[in-house]
Amino acid sequence: MPSYLSGTRIRTDRGEVAVEHLRIGDKVATLDGTARPIVWIGHRNQPRAVRDGDPDPRPVRIAQGAIGRNVPHRELLVSPAHALFFDDVLIPAGHLVNGATIVRWPDIDPLRYYHIELDRHDIVFAEGMPAETFVDCDNRDMFDNGAEYATLYPAGQPQRWLFCAPRVETGAVLEQVRRTLDSRAGLVSTGAEVAPGPLEGTVDGLDGNTIVGWAFDPAHPTSSVILEVLDGDLFIGRLTANRFRGDLAAAGIGDGRHGFELPLSRALSPLVRHDLRIRRLADGRELAGSPLTIEPHDRRSLIRDTRRAIELATNTASDPGTLDALLETLLLGVDRVRRLHADRTQQEAAASGAPNAVSRLPRPRAKRVLVIDDLIPRPDRDAGSNAILSHMDAMRALGWAIEFVASGQLTGEDVAAAALTARGILCHRSPRVASVEEVMRRNRNMYDLVYLHRLSNAESYAPLSRVWQPKARIVYGIADLHHLRSARQAAVHDNAELAEAAVYLKAREMNAMSMTDAVITHSLAEADYIRRAEPSVPVHVVPWALHPAPRTVPLRKRNGIAFVGGMRHAPNPDAVRWLADAVLPRVWARDPAMQCLLVGADWSDAVWGRIDPRLRLAGQVEHLDAVFDTVRLTVAPLRFGAGIKGKVLDSFAAGLPCVMTSIAAEGIPLGPLLRSAVTDDPAEMADLICDLHHQSVLNGRHARAGLALVRAAYTEAAILTALEAVVGSGTATPPPTARPLGRTV
């Protein structure tokens, strides 16, 4: 819970005021130079009796001048989770503790924490130090008066999880800030600091997965010793020996605040030897008891210890909460063992020359990506399904180990799920898992990338990914911009209600983008649109791979045209009505025998009432090739829509010309010849259909141009290159650094 300790002075338009004396409506100074009103103030009291055994609430004390010259200009006390502002990033104070100028401060009882909320997350000045305001991260109820907000603002919708700047908790930026602050505190070699004195202390050993011990420099009894931990030569972590231990105080060792605990971020492998070296950062001197050697288990001892641990847990657990936690832990362990076993089996099979299907499965030690879509994708479902399948294939080629979960389809579709497994993709399904949330929770902090496909999943699972997968890069794959499609539909049908809904949809889509690290769109036009609307959002154009298959049936043996698209997609029934009302009568005036096939799901005679017998309903077909082998061209007369139109690309890949509107052509890199088949005028469209149908030379030129476009821009190699720029390699090169949840300012 980020908060200011009572007594902290906040800069307002009337000077500095202690945070506990601020009131709703008071105006506080913000980083951009404006003064903005407070909309809510949270408070929480924590007596020592309540927080015993829980170190988290203890405040961080930042000494005067610890950050910069006279910054802060007075001692500043904040909770460890409270973020301070450094060069366009936010860093929680707990990550800056150095044991000297920035320390944990335990001797306050009770703790009285306050936080202030503006109309959006922002930077204010606390004791002259730029620091954050409150943002609702599902933690409002941690304050004693958390329910007050709903009473004050019954219709209020706070901007949850929207940070005004990137929040940094790991990585090079954090280390650079820490080095700067440590240098300012005299903890890093500058050529002028006081030399470290004798080193007392010891490494007590491992408590579970935590290294514990103590360290003390009697020559500098009021300063905490900073230590670093290595496993052989591999850096594990850095810590400050500043935890209070009663045994040290009783022995007269300083003030007793010289203990340390370092939870290891990743469990050490029990199968190899570990030599954990704990040494003072200032001079490299190791503590007594270092190195802490952990001998490897052999097979027998590993199984014995596992059985003992399970027996102890099952004999001890009794209440439902403990049993639930135990069951979750065991299931997670089973999942990990199954994956490891599968990896080893695949390695052995590949080494022995097993079939290609085995070697195509995910390689061991690959980085893991969780892909979330509404349904299990099938090539015959929609363009979005083809896109996500293509992207998963590309990520596999880049070395990623892929796992998939359908947020709306955890059961059924056995054939589609089996097809994913055959591609080397682990498909999470019921009864093994009951929800996307369970997949993330049981695999917490184990994914390197989360790929959220479509708006519903980006909205629902981007915040959850930040909680359960804090180190993962989060990518939002846009099938198309819903608000753009709705706004265009509203304009075509002059529908004010739909126009209003489009405004709301735009806010949702832009907010979803701001919650992720990168956005993928298939359309060049949509990428330009997003960059203009939200310049801070990193946008990448990654279409999907197509496989050119030119017609082998001669043109003279084919006849008529086809429209491809299902009736449940709103742009399609509108397009067919416009085609039937405005275009086809002009076509039939020139060629009364011209037939048009209507191909796709859910069309019926009952719906269309036989508009004209020459507009024939073919319905859904298993393979479009069966249709493409009978017609000379396709038509895409869409009057509204968004994204790349799969029906157009499928036609090009099949070696068929396509006559289309500007909406249907949008976002596709058409050359001059293909652009000549684009028109929004019904008379021109009718002429184009007739010319391409009857002029074999013209038809052939357009067919070859479409195939050339597919072979240039929609190949597996092109998709691989475009996607690698977003996610990186799954084996060697790490993906680009994740940016925290929310817009960047």
Side-chain angles (χ1 to χ4, degrees), residues 263-527:
L264 299 174
S265 60
R266 182 172 296 177
L268 299 173
S269 170
L271 302 178
V272 298
R273 175 188 172 105
H274 298 279
D275 292 307
L276 301 178
R277 298 160 52 210
I278 298 88
R279 65 189 188 187
R280 183 161 55 185
L281 181 64
D283 57 3
R285 184 174 178 181
E286 295 192 21
L287 277 176
S290 174
L292 175 63
T293 300
I294 304 173
E295 296 293 345
H297 279 285
D298 58 22
R299 179 175 178 272
R300 180 177 298 176
S301 65
L302 184 63
I303 295 174
R304 181 195 64 225
D305 290 350
T306 302
R307 285 174 176 167
R308 285 177 178 174
I310 294 174
E311 184 178 358
L312 174 63
T314 52
N315 288 339
T316 304
S318 57
D319 63 281
T322 303
L323 288 170
D324 285 344
L326 176 60
L327 180 61
E328 180 182 332
T329 302
L330 292 174
L331 287 172
L332 179 60
V334 169
D335 281 348
R336 288 175 173 172
V337 172
R338 280 177 174 167
R339 284 191 208 100
L340 182 63
H341 185 271
D343 288 343
R344 297 291 185 268
T345 302
Q346 291 155 19
Q347 277 185 316
E348 293 172 2
S352 64
N356 291 336
V358 175
S359 63
R360 288 176 58 215
L361 291 170
R363 293 181 295 237
R365 296 185 181 179
K367 293 178 182 177
R368 295 174 61 188
V369 53
L370 178 65
V371 179
I372 304 174
D373 200 357
D374 293 342
L375 305 174
I376 298 176
R378 299 194 320 255
D380 62 341
R381 172 164 278 136
D382 57 12
S385 292
N386 282 293
I388 199 64
L389 286 169
S390 177
H391 290 186
M392 287 193 288
D393 285 343
M395 285 189 284
R396 284 200 60 261
L398 290 169
W400 288 86
I402 303 175
E403 300 176 27
F404 176 88
V405 60
S407 57
Q409 193 179 56
L410 287 167
T411 59
E413 289 282 6
D414 294 342
V415 173
L420 283 189
T421 302
R423 287 174 117 104
I425 298 168
L426 174 64
C427 189
H428 293 284
R429 309 185 70 212
S430 179
R432 189 172 171 222
V433 296
S435 64
V436 175
E437 291 86 344
E438 184 179 352
V439 174
M440 287 198 178
R441 187 179 69 251
R442 284 170 57 179
N443 295 273
R444 51 184 169 268
N445 210 22
M446 293 177 66
Y447 294 113
D448 303 281
L449 177 70
V450 178
Y451 188 126
L452 305 170
H453 194 223
R454 305 180 205 268
L455 173 63
S456 57
N457 296 306
E459 283 186 310
S460 299
Y461 302 116
L464 195 68
S465 299
R466 297 297 186 198
V467 175
W468 291 111
Q469 308 299 329
K471 295 182 180 178
R473 179 170 170 80
I474 302 176
V475 173
Y476 170 22
I478 297 175
D480 61 17
L481 288 174
H482 299 346
H483 80 268
L484 200 57
R485 185 203 318 153
S486 296
R488 290 168 171 173
Q489 183 178 0
V492 167
H493 296 296
D494 193 21
N495 188 321
E497 184 177 348
L498 195 57
E500 184 177 346
V503 174
Y504 173 64
L505 266 174
K506 181 176 182 179
R508 287 177 55 195
E509 290 187 300
M510 295 303 168
N511 182 58
M513 294 178 203
S514 74
M515 293 193 295
T516 59
D517 300 313
V519 170
I520 288 177
T521 178
H522 316 309
S523 165
L524 293 167
E526 285 195 353

Side-chain angles (χ1 to χ4, degrees), residues 91-147:
I91 300 178
H95 290 281
L96 302 173
V97 171
N98 59 21
T101 58
I102 305 175
V103 298
R104 297 298 285 270
W105 204 247
D107 290 338
I108 300 175
D109 188 45
L111 285 173
R112 291 188 176 92
Y113 276 136
Y114 293 82
H115 213 343
I116 61 174
E117 181 177 16
L118 309 184
D119 60 343
R120 65 175 184 271
H121 193 233
D122 211 332
I123 307 301
V124 295
F125 296 90
E127 307 296 357
M129 176 68 205
E132 68 174 338
T133 59
F134 175 73
V135 60
D136 188 356
C137 298
D138 299 322
N139 59 346
R140 191 184 298 275
D141 289 341
M142 294 181 70
F143 293 94
D144 295 339
N145 63 326

Side-chain angles (χ1 to χ4, degrees), residues 26-79:
D26 287 350
K27 291 185 176 181
V28 295
T30 60
L31 190 65
D32 64 5
T34 62
R36 297 185 28 236
I38 297 172
V39 300
W40 183 72
I41 301 174
H43 57 77
R44 181 178 183 180
N45 280 3
Q46 291 183 292
R48 182 178 291 116
V50 174
R51 66 180 190 267
D52 274 352
D54 180 6
D56 288 342
R58 294 181 302 135
V60 174
R61 174 189 176 272
I62 302 163
Q64 178 182 355
I67 307 300
R69 185 176 181 181
N70 205 33
V71 179
H73 54 234
R74 200 176 75 135
E75 174 184 276
L76 173 63
L77 289 163
V78 296
S79 65

Side-chain angles (χ1 to χ4, degrees), residues 109-229:
D109 188 45
L111 285 173
R112 291 188 176 92
Y113 276 136
Y114 293 82
H115 213 343
I116 61 174
E117 181 177 16
L118 309 184
D119 60 343
R120 65 175 184 271
H121 193 233
D122 211 332
I123 307 301
V124 295
F125 296 90
E127 307 296 357
M129 176 68 205
E132 68 174 338
T133 59
F134 175 73
V135 60
D136 188 356
C137 298
D138 299 322
N139 59 346
R140 191 184 298 275
D141 289 341
M142 294 181 70
F143 293 94
D144 295 339
N145 63 326
E148 177 188 50
Y149 185 89
T151 302
L152 292 171
Y153 308 104
Q157 292 292 331
Q159 293 181 312
R160 298 168 62 250
W161 291 93
L162 288 180
F163 296 111
C164 67
R167 194 176 182 90
V168 173
E169 299 186 23
T170 59
V173 172
L174 173 62
E175 288 306 313
Q176 179 60 48
V177 171
R178 290 175 64 161
R179 282 195 298 271
T180 300
L181 299 181
D182 289 352
S183 176
R184 185 172 184 81
L187 299 173
V188 179
S189 177
T190 62
E193 75 279 2
V194 178
L199 180 63
E200 298 180 4
T202 184
V203 181
D204 295 332
L206 277 175
D207 181 5
N209 200 39
T210 301
I211 303 172
V212 296
W214 63 278
F216 176 58
D217 182 349
H220 307 286
T222 60
S223 297
S224 300
V225 176
I226 300 178
L227 304 165
E228 62 179 356
V229 181

Side-chain angles (χ1 to χ4, degrees), residues 624-673:
L624 281 175
D625 283 344
V627 173
F628 292 156
D629 279 341
T630 66
V631 299
R632 295 188 176 187
L633 66 144
T634 65
V635 60
L638 301 177
R639 297 197 298 165
F640 59 87
I644 291 290
K645 314 307 179 292
K647 55 177 67 70
V648 175
L649 294 181
D650 287 341
S651 183
F652 289 162
L656 289 181
C658 182
V659 176
M660 56 202 133
T661 58
S662 57
I663 290 291
E666 184 180 56
I668 303 175
L670 301 175
L673 181 61

